[in-house]
Amino acid sequence: MTSYCTRLLQHRRSLLASSLLCGATLFAAPALAQEAAANASAVAAEAPQDEAIVVTGSRLVRTDLEAPSPLTVVGENDIKLSGSVTLENTINKFPQLASGNTSNVNNGGGSGVLTANLRGLGATRTLVLVNGRRFIPANSDGQVDLSSIPDALIKRVEIITGGASAVYGSDAIAGAINFLLKNDFNGVDASYRYGQTFEDDGASHKIDLTVGTNLDDGRGNVTVSTSYTKRDPIFQSARAFSRVPLDTIGGQLVPGGSSAIPGTRIGFSQAQLAQLVGVNLTPGGNCTTINGIRFGANGEVLPYCNPEDAYNYSSFNYLLRPFERFQISTIARYELGDNVELYGEAYYVNTRNSSQLAPDSETPVTPGAGSGILLVPNYATNPGLLPAVRNFFVNNAALFDPNNTGTATVIGAGRRYNELGPRENDYERNSFSLTGGLRGSFPLLGSDWSYDTFFQYQRNRTDSTTRNSVSATRLSQGLDTVLDGNGNVVCRVQTLGCVPVNIFGLDTITPEAARFLTPPRSSNDEFQRKVAGAALSGVLFELPAGPVALALGTEYRKDEFEFNPSPMDLAGEYGGRSQAPVAGQFSVTEVFGELRVPILKDVPFADLLAVEGAARYSDYGGDNSPVGGVFTWKVGAEYAPIDWVRFRSAFNRAIRAPTINELKSPISLGFTSGTDPCIASRNPTPAQQDLCVLQGVPRADLPTFSQANVGFYGMSGGNPNLTEERSKTLTVGAVISPPFARRLNFTVDYFRVEVKDAIDRINANQTLNDCFTRLDPNAATCQAIKRFANGQIDYVSTQLANLGELKVEGVDAQVDYRMDLPFAQIGGENATLNLSAVASFLFERSTKVLAGQEPTDCSGRFGGGCTGNGVFATPDFKLNLNATYNSGPLTVRLAGRMVGDMKLYPGVTAPVKEASSQWYFDAAVTGQVMEEVELFGGIENLFDKQPPIFGTAISADTNTDPSLYDVVGRRFSVGARLKF
């Protein structure tokens, strides 16, 4: 610790601040937490004892950083030296945060909104603030994109866990993360950073320029910061662990992929295969299982071997998404009088990012024909089909056209449209926020009371463009062909610029047909927010133990969202994948109050005893909001029996109102990884086999039944009848700074969060597990499973509801120590070594979504619905170790971060039973080469640790969890900073 931490320890009223902020701010980026603590604690140490300080998680006026709830702080140098160009990669390394949507999440990462996820309760339950106020919402869930926060202006970040709805309102069930920005910068700060992996990919450039000036002898300040960032992508094919999808066959991980293949595959049951005519189904070479046919060159009909003929989609998919950003931020303040200050903030950010997937693989369907059904008109004479294909349909008319209609019915075909190129999803986000307000103080009741009034207007627009996505309507139209008067193959219906299409056979789609099938699919959404608020805080009166502090306030917020899909979506051209318009809004009016009462001070067995509480009433309206009026509250206490031991506890009752997305999103299909309980490798019991047959799996196929794809579709959507979630949070902790080791600090905190009526969906894997546990074909979960005629799962129906119960429980513990190194001084400057460690134990992270069902505890587990596409793993143990040396112009930092071992969820059958603990080590160095010039650099993942392998059925298309583990590998960053 630096000397101000020692000074803090000399003040009993600052004991909590010193121990918390000098010992609890560790994280495993190259920059270490001790300097972060220094930056934060200086707020209290450098200010007079009577100067007002506001701590995240409270609105009370304080003279130090005491608070009954756990608080973690990270300073600006930790952000600057993290080596990451997006904030989520730095923030998510804190033990209090679980993995969330990151730059490494490609399939399932949506529009690239980078989020924070406290305690694994989800990004919608984590409130993100900037300067104590809500920041720009980036999607219909109102989530903040961390990449939109101007990191060059960050002074410190305060993370409050244990719930904060009574203080900040909805969304703070898990807690809040508050980014505090500089408002007094004077001078010029320019920096450039270059980063790259040791595999020569993923290059990044970041340029920051901050200019600030004081006004009128310090009465005001204007600070302007601009930033430009660009990062190149990394493809899954560039790393050995993700180069080939690993499927589960015969209880083993084997090279596999998707059953949607170039040329088209048609799946059949064993009984149907036995009926095929004119097809040689004798496999050549290795062939594990024949469960269908495929069309090769010139339409030749061949057996489909699973997994040998599966398609490797990894070469097209991103492992690290490309990213480009331009920001400009302005913060200004000016004292209009002795006790009145006018302030304003303006932020603008333009962000571009992309996701990319292998060529389209959506099941060819004919709109209106039924799920998974493709109709091929006039198959016997259709001139657009190759002769071998026509003969195949004619020879097997008993299967494809039993009623002799002249139209072939193909169910559940898989086609990889490789002729079209990869699916490209480009997202451009333009966001801005304007804030203006007045703050100051006035005398009341014998002391100065502070006030703050403000108004905010925020707007975010996201423009999305998808290329090479096949229109089901145009495919159906292009398959219906005839000959014109000149003998040319043309579409029967000449609209939309129709071009004949043939999907049966390799490389059969012409460039002209490709352009016809895939018009650019552009959509946009817009979120607008208006907020007005006022707060008042001060001292009511003095007690023998100290001042009784009070805070009161009110706030009005209105959120409006609108989504406008492409004209093709509005016309229903993509069948079940067509997007529908969404529009919704709500408003909330709130009043709140907070009170702190000191009871004892400087008496035997009570150096300090104080209690505090907060309450908030919120009235929701707009679009006939189902929430109405709700009440939240908290109580907390601090007790220090002696001046070097402090106990703290808080209890919160919180709520979370449903988001516009949860209320209004239309029903849609989305792909998810998972395993069918009916496949032979899962060893279904006789009763489970009977249920499989009732659902549509041919009994004769059961001994060899295998899953044709790496997952299936889930059908889900919003629910306008949702009501608010309700939660209870308890934290109990202690802070110890023994006088016999004044540079040694311990903290420990127990936490428990329970959420009732949680807004959740029974995801596809949970639905399957529940159905095949109940074994009741009439159960809701069994009715939600839809299969094709060959037994393969078509989709699993799910929908949001207030049906969940969430619970997290665990302990955070941390320790730090500082020592002087007089023998290691540079240039006569004092040398110090800071050592610190923090551990987070998660005893439980459970979800209960069905009445009568045992909770699903995902803490430290994978599989069984705990992991998968868009479902991120939650380790039960995380440990960070840090050491930093500083003397004069030189700082050297080493960090170790450990993610605990993970185990397969009980009852789930998979080749991988356990993933060992993963250690990552980072290093960073900074050097002041001249008074105005600083050089810096660092290496992350020093030993190039590779992630554990789970396979696609358990995790996602990277064979691992890209949100939790380091999938990029060893990388470096170097840069220079000029300050004057």
Side-chain angles (χ1 to χ4, degrees), residues 258-260 264-265 360-367 370-374 410-417 423 470-472 475 503 574-577 669 671 709 712-713 788 793-795:
S258 171
S259 63
T264 303
R265 170 202 58 83
D360 203 346
S361 61
E362 299 297 335
T363 300
V365 297
T366 299
S371 177
I373 295 177
L374 175 70
V410 180
I411 300 176
R415 216 301 180 170
R416 183 68 57 171
Y417 299 89
R423 282 166 288 176
V470 173
S471 160
L475 173 63
I503 63 170
Y574 301 96
R577 296 183 296 135
L669 285 172
F671 192 80
N709 216 331
F712 28 77
Y713 287 96
F788 293 123
I793 294 177
D794 180 7
Y795 66 90

Side-chain angles (χ1 to χ4, degrees), residues 581-600:
V582 177
Q585 59 89 17
F586 72 83
S587 61
V588 57
T589 302
E590 302 178 288
V591 292
F592 54 85
E594 191 174 358
L595 181 70
R596 183 177 188 271
V597 180
I599 299 174
L600 297 173

Side-chain angles (χ1 to χ4, degrees), residues 578-632:
S578 293
Q579 298 175 301
V582 177
Q585 59 89 17
F586 72 83
S587 61
V588 57
T589 302
E590 302 178 288
V591 292
F592 54 85
E594 191 174 358
L595 181 70
R596 183 177 188 271
V597 180
I599 299 174
L600 297 173
K601 179 185 177 183
D602 297 333
V603 299
F605 307 108
D607 184 68
L608 174 68
L609 175 63
V611 296
E612 64 181 65
R616 173 180 290 254
Y617 178 77
S618 307
D619 185 18
Y620 285 84
D623 280 1
N624 299 314
S625 172
V627 176
V630 292
F631 181 74
T632 58

Side-chain angles (χ1 to χ4, degrees), residues 144-375:
V144 173
D145 182 1
L146 296 181
S147 71
S148 66
I149 297 172
D151 52 2
L153 285 177
I154 291 177
K155 179 165 55 178
R156 67 183 186 274
V157 184
E158 296 179 354
I159 302 172
I160 177 73
T161 56
S165 282
V167 177
Y168 295 115
S170 184
D171 310 335
I173 281 181
I177 302 178
N178 188 14
F179 294 84
L180 292 128
L181 308 183
K182 302 171 186 176
N183 66 352
D184 56 358
F185 183 79
N186 188 35
V188 176
D189 186 328
S191 67
Y192 168 74
R193 179 169 63 204
Y194 174 79
Q196 180 182 303
T197 75
F198 280 72
E199 300 288 337
D200 294 329
D201 54 16
S204 64
H205 306 265
K206 190 172 189 293
I207 303 171
D208 293 297
L209 175 63
T210 302
V211 179
T213 183
N214 291 326
L215 305 174
D216 199 5
D217 295 327
R219 293 185 63 184
N221 181 273
V222 176
T223 299
V224 180
S225 180
T226 61
S227 178
Y228 174 76
T229 305
K230 189 177 189 302
R231 183 185 62 207
D232 295 337
I234 299 175
F235 290 90
Q236 291 179 21
S237 59
R239 299 294 185 269
F241 66 86
S242 58
R243 191 166 295 150
V244 178
L246 297 176
D247 293 350
T248 301
I249 302 292
Q252 300 293 324
L253 288 179
V254 298
S258 171
S259 63
I261 61 173
T264 303
R265 170 202 58 83
I266 301 178
F268 293 110
S269 67
Q270 295 301 311
Q272 291 172 326
L273 286 172
Q275 297 178 48
L276 289 179
V277 177
V279 181
N280 180 11
L281 294 179
T282 303
N286 294 329
C287 185
T288 302
T289 303
I290 297 177
N291 58 14
I293 60 96
R294 60 187 175 92
F295 296 92
N298 299 315
E300 180 184 6
V301 183
L302 302 167
Y304 175 77
C305 294
N306 185 40
E308 288 78 10
D309 291 327
Y311 177 79
N312 181 359
Y313 47 77
S314 294
S315 59
F316 295 94
N317 291 10
Y318 288 142
L319 190 65
L320 178 68
R321 293 169 66 152
F323 179 80
E324 187 173 14
R325 174 185 61 199
F326 171 75
Q327 289 176 300
I328 183 167
S329 307
T330 301
I331 299 179
R333 58 180 177 82
Y334 189 80
E335 295 179 6
L336 300 178
D338 291 339
N339 297 303
V340 181
E341 183 177 70
L342 174 69
Y343 67 92
E345 300 173 12
Y347 307 100
Y348 169 77
V349 58
N350 173 271
T351 302
R352 299 170 185 259
N353 78 93
S354 303
S355 66
Q356 181 171 292
L357 298 170
D360 203 346
S361 61
E362 299 297 335
T363 300
V365 297
T366 299
S371 177
I373 295 177
L374 175 70
L375 301 179

Side-chain angles (χ1 to χ4, degrees), residues 542-553:
E542 292 281 342
L543 292 177
V548 176
L550 174 69
L552 299 170

Side-chain angles (χ1 to χ4, degrees), residues 111 124 263 497 521 541 630 645 752 830 955 977:
S111 63
T124 55
R521 189 178 180 184
F541 51 83
V630 292
V645 176
R752 186 180 71 228
N830 185 42
S955 54
R977 176 170 293 106

Side-chain angles (χ1 to χ4, degrees), residues 14 22 60 74 99 329 386 399 429 442 474 533 590 659 717 720 748:
S14 297
C22 298
L60 294 172
V74 58
S99 55
S329 307
L386 294 167
L399 284 173
R429 188 171 295 115
F442 58 88
R474 294 173 185 238
E590 302 178 288
T659 68
V748 61

